[in-house]
Amino acid sequence: MPDISENYLQSLLHETEEKLRLTGLELQELKAGLDEAVIVSVSNAKGEIIHANQMMTKITGYSVDEIIRKKHSIFKSGYHSRDFYRNMWDTLLRAQIWKGEIKNKAKDGSFFWVDTTIVPFVDEDGDIFQFMSIRKDITERKFLEDQAEKDRAAREYAGRLAAVGEVASNIAHEIRNPLA
């Protein structure tokens, strides 16, 4: 068996420690970038929030202390059906990524929409040990879509009223014509 020198082992250890340090710095930078760009939370296997970034506290109105150890159901708006949430959990519990749009309720009672991706984290035994939720605020887009739909419906209604008015005018004309 070859003799490995103490210097070589020290060099290898130093190199490994340096790689770990750089990986840690890279992870910190990635986390900082995510925290600036999107709403992030991490939940344990029971669905209890164990991490929430500042963007999450900003959109929900809750402080980090109010959110930690709570379930995401504190944000439920009542908009989505049980089947919606059942489908989401069925997907996640199969260790698959779930994506969708969710209407939530903030602490002050206002509503907000988030485009959501939830990623289950699986250990070496295949068991889920946590979930990471990454969200983007789409409230303004949903408001504009809703407004456009209301405008379209109003135009359609006005068109139907105009058609009814034209029919009524024709009927009135036909009734008056023989009398003349």
Side-chain angles (χ1 to χ4, degrees), residues 25-80:
L25 289 174
E26 185 178 328
L27 285 173
Q28 285 177 342
E29 290 172 358
L30 288 170
K31 181 186 176 306
L34 274 174
D35 283 347
E36 286 298 316
V38 291
I39 303 156
V40 178
S41 66
V42 178
S43 303
N44 62 21
K46 293 186 267 183
E48 300 167 335
I49 300 168
I50 57 175
H51 169 78
N53 71 352
Q54 290 301 330
M55 295 273 291
M56 182 147 182
T57 63
K58 182 178 175 184
I59 196 167
T60 66
Y62 289 93
S63 70
V64 172
D65 290 338
E66 291 174 302
I67 294 173
I68 298 299
R69 294 288 168 211
K70 300 286 190 299
K71 295 189 177 193
H72 282 89
S73 58
I74 66 170
F75 310 121
K76 265 189 175 179
S77 65
Y79 178 82
H80 302 283

Side-chain angles (χ1 to χ4, degrees), residues 49-158:
I49 300 168
I50 57 175
H51 169 78
N53 71 352
Q54 290 301 330
M55 295 273 291
M56 182 147 182
T57 63
K58 182 178 175 184
I59 196 167
T60 66
Y62 289 93
S63 70
V64 172
D65 290 338
E66 291 174 302
I67 294 173
I68 298 299
R69 294 288 168 211
K70 300 286 190 299
K71 295 189 177 193
H72 282 89
S73 58
I74 66 170
F75 310 121
K76 265 189 175 179
S77 65
Y79 178 82
H80 302 283
S81 68
R82 285 180 182 252
D83 285 342
F84 175 86
Y85 291 107
R86 190 175 302 122
N87 172 273
M88 178 182 73
W89 278 107
D90 286 348
T91 302
L92 291 170
L93 294 176
R94 287 191 311 270
Q96 296 175 340
I97 295 171
W98 183 88
K99 294 181 181 191
E101 295 179 349
I102 303 175
K103 182 178 184 179
N104 281 331
K105 188 177 189 179
K107 184 179 181 178
D108 66 5
S110 63
F111 296 103
F112 63 94
W113 280 90
V114 284
D115 184 12
T116 304
T117 300
I118 305 173
V119 181
F121 284 59
V122 180
D123 64 18
E124 58 276 351
D125 296 326
D127 296 325
I128 297 170
F129 66 94
Q130 69 182 21
F131 302 94
M132 176 182 269
S133 300
I134 302 167
R135 301 175 189 85
K136 180 131 179 78
D137 182 3
I138 58 168
T139 305
E140 185 174 345
R141 187 192 90 205
K142 294 297 272 187
F143 173 78
L144 293 173
E145 287 174 358
D146 186 50
Q147 195 61 44
E149 177 58 27
K150 286 178 181 174
D151 291 348
R152 186 203 59 74
R155 284 192 306 278
E156 186 178 301
Y157 181 70

